[in-house]
Amino acid sequence: MSIAPGLAPGVHWLLRYLIAQERRVVQKPLNHRSKLGGEILTRIEVSFNCTSAPHPRPLSPKKGEGRNQGPKRLKEQENIMPHRMTVTIASLLVVSLLNSPASAAKIVLVAGGGTAGDGSPAAQAKLDSPFGVEFDRAGNLVLVEMTGHHVRRIDGRGVITTIGGTGEKGHSGDNGPAAKATFNGMHNLAIAADGSIYLADTWNNCVRRIDPQSGMITSVAGTGMKGFSGDGGPATKAEFGGIYCASLDPRSEKLYLADLDNRRIRVVDLKSGVVTTVAGNGMKGVPEDGAVASNSPLVDPRAVAVDKAGNVYVLERGGHALRVVSTDGTIRTVAGTGKAGLSGDGGNAREATLNGPKHLCIDHDGTVLIADTENHVIRRYSPATGKIDRVAGIGRKGTAGVGGDPLQIEMNQPHGVFVHSTGVLYITDSSNHRILRIEK
């Protein structure tokens, strides 16, 4: 007798045991669909074939029963042990679902890889180096193209349009329609609770905002001139040196900026408009664990993200490390040895190696997702355990694997990660000019 594939090993063992005992096993589909990945659940039923088991001995009449009451007792026993007994094993169902291919995660294409333009399905569209990706409150996916100099939106129907940028490189258009503005190498974006889109206009050394109602664009940080100045004053009059990442705190009250060329993490209070430095003193170096973050050197802070507790995570590209600024203002390294490599998955994150990581985001459980760009993988750091694990990527540059196991996907320099409110992870596979999603 064959056993249906896709069951957990423990389920296989039990079924084989039952078959060895001359019992019969069947599988029946449930008549409903689970919300866990939308897969059809399978109920495992074990049917005992009582004809193959020893027939029960007749019960002796109880004291006081006559001979003619014996058949009645036998009938009672037959009712207790019917010819076919079906047992639904709910616990094994759960194990099977967790381990079966039907419930396994898969990675799918969301946008890019095609040749179509605006108004087309996103999966058929052509993208030009997508870097940052986020969602607005209406459920639209918004992305920036680093070399395409566009801000684009994918609506709930999957249709893509351009909402910012002419496609020309430049620095123009403030106080006018975003669609007529020019940008220079946008690396990232952040969307506030009110729908405002903040753009890290990297090589224009500034942050710009698209108003969600009017579609008008303005500058909120940086003069456009490269330099370092302005701490303690208005962010619009401050100078920055290449803003590679803009990230909001969970309340959308503060905008954190990776001012890479100045080797600093700076923050803009969106209510007052004042900018200050959170980490980095402008010197190049590895900060000592426990040192005051604002007085410490950094290698090259490429990305920044803030968790619900107020911890500020700093990802260093050439430093090949993840660091955290605690709420007391001290900094420490939590992942990476400082040397380039791809090792340590499943172990202590501090002993793992990274290779030119470019972006990060905070998952709903407080773990940190890292775009380990030059390794072509996505990894997860857990503050609770101190461990690091692989989420996606085989570690080889390429395009193969869409539709399959996320751990077997080939990517080419992923520069962005974002976790949707539903828990679904989106990845910008930048040098493959596409956006991917992991479905469970």
Side-chain angles (χ1 to χ4, degrees):
M1 180 181 204
S2 63
I3 299 177
L7 298 179
V11 179
H12 272 288
W13 179 88
L14 180 58
L15 297 183
R16 287 193 180 97
Y17 172 79
L18 293 173
I19 292 169
Q21 300 300 313
E22 296 185 315
R23 290 161 172 86
R24 182 163 50 86
V25 178
V26 295
Q27 280 191 305
K28 295 181 180 180
L30 288 177
N31 294 322
H32 67 276
R33 186 173 292 270
S34 169
K35 292 182 179 179
L36 296 173
E39 300 292 343
I40 296 293
L41 301 182
T42 300
R43 181 173 62 200
I44 304 168
E45 294 189 349
V46 182
S47 301
F48 293 84
N49 186 348
C50 296
T51 59
S52 63
H55 197 280
R57 290 182 297 175
L59 294 175
S60 300
K62 289 183 179 180
K63 187 175 181 181
E65 287 182 342
R67 287 181 178 270
N68 59 352
Q69 289 180 300
K72 179 180 179 182
R73 293 281 289 157
L74 285 173
K75 184 64 176 177
E76 290 173 357
Q77 181 168 345
E78 289 174 359
N79 290 334
I80 295 172
M81 296 188 65
H83 177 73
R84 176 184 173 119
M85 295 187 298
T86 301
V87 180
T88 301
I89 310 174
S91 60
L92 293 180
L93 166 62
V94 174
V95 175
S96 177
L97 285 172
L98 291 175
N99 290 278
S100 69
S103 64
K106 66 178 180 179
I107 194 160
V108 300
L109 178 68
V110 176
T115 59
D118 280 353
S120 66
Q124 299 173 15
K126 179 181 179 180
L127 299 182
D128 192 350
S129 299
F131 268 42
V133 59
E134 281 217 24
F135 278 80
D136 63 21
R137 296 187 69 180
N140 301 304
L141 183 153
V142 183
L143 64 99
V144 294
E145 295 178 312
M146 197 273 287
T147 54
H149 311 297
H150 284 127
V151 183
R152 307 185 77 179
R153 179 168 59 202
I154 302 172
D155 65 20
R157 301 171 300 156
V159 175
I160 191 168
T161 54
T162 297
I163 61 172
T166 64
E168 297 294 322
K169 181 170 69 173
H171 187 188
S172 65
D174 274 0
N175 303 310
K180 294 183 178 181
T182 57
F183 301 95
N184 189 2
M186 291 177 289
H187 276 60
N188 178 243
L189 78 161
I191 302 180
D194 66 357
S196 296
I197 303 173
Y198 293 91
L199 306 167
D201 195 356
T202 306
W203 295 321
N204 281 328
N205 310 299
C206 66
V207 177
R208 303 166 81 179
R209 171 184 175 269
I210 299 178
D211 184 273
Q213 278 75 44
S214 67
M216 303 289 279
I217 191 166
T218 55
S219 288
V220 296
T223 64
M225 298 295 293
K226 186 173 183 177
F228 175 73
S229 67
D231 266 8
T236 52
K237 296 183 178 181
E239 291 180 336
F240 296 83
I243 300 174
Y244 283 75
C245 181
S247 180
L248 289 157
D249 73 326
R251 294 184 179 181
S252 295
E253 295 175 347
K254 296 180 179 180
L255 185 66
Y256 288 80
L257 309 175
D259 189 0
L260 187 147
D261 294 344
N262 286 318
R263 297 189 177 93
R264 288 178 169 91
I265 298 296
R266 301 168 80 179
V267 61
V268 178
D269 184 301
L270 293 177
K271 185 176 181 179
S272 67
V274 172
V275 64
T276 54
T277 292
V278 174
N281 60 9
M283 302 298 291
K284 183 177 182 179
V286 177
E288 292 184 8
D289 285 352
V292 176
S294 58
N295 296 335
S296 298
L298 293 173
V299 179
D300 57 352
R302 172 58 176 76
V304 59
V306 188
D307 69 13
K308 293 178 181 178
N311 298 300
V312 180
Y313 285 90
V314 180
L315 193 63
E316 299 224 68
R317 179 182 63 186
H320 311 293
L322 175 67
R323 315 191 201 281
V324 62
V325 180
S326 302
T327 53
D328 63 1
T330 60
I331 191 170
R332 61 190 174 91
T333 301
V334 294
T337 64
K339 295 181 179 180
L342 177 55
S343 66
D345 285 336
N348 186 340
R350 193 64 181 81
E351 298 173 359
T353 54
L354 311 173
N355 189 6
K358 303 292 198 301
H359 194 60
L360 77 167
C361 70
I362 311 297
D363 204 344
H364 304 314
D365 61 0
T367 57
V368 183
L369 288 156
I370 301 168
D372 195 356
T373 307
E374 303 307 324
N375 279 327
H376 317 292
V377 300
I378 308 301
R379 303 169 84 177
R380 182 189 300 274
Y381 163 70
S382 172
T385 65
K387 292 185 177 182
I388 193 168
D389 292 291
R390 185 90 58 91
V391 174
I394 197 170
R396 181 173 62 239
K397 182 188 295 187
T399 60
V402 173
D405 183 350
L407 293 174
Q408 298 301 311
I409 186 77
E410 292 179 347
M411 292 184 283
N412 192 353
Q413 297 182 308
H415 277 75
V417 283
F418 179 78
V419 180
H420 190 271
S421 60
T422 60
V424 174
L425 173 62
Y426 286 77
I427 302 166
T428 54
D429 188 6
S430 304
S431 293
N432 279 331
H433 309 288
R434 65 187 184 183
I435 296 174
L436 306 171
R437 177 180 69 219
I438 295 180
E439 296 182 344
K440 297 180 180 180

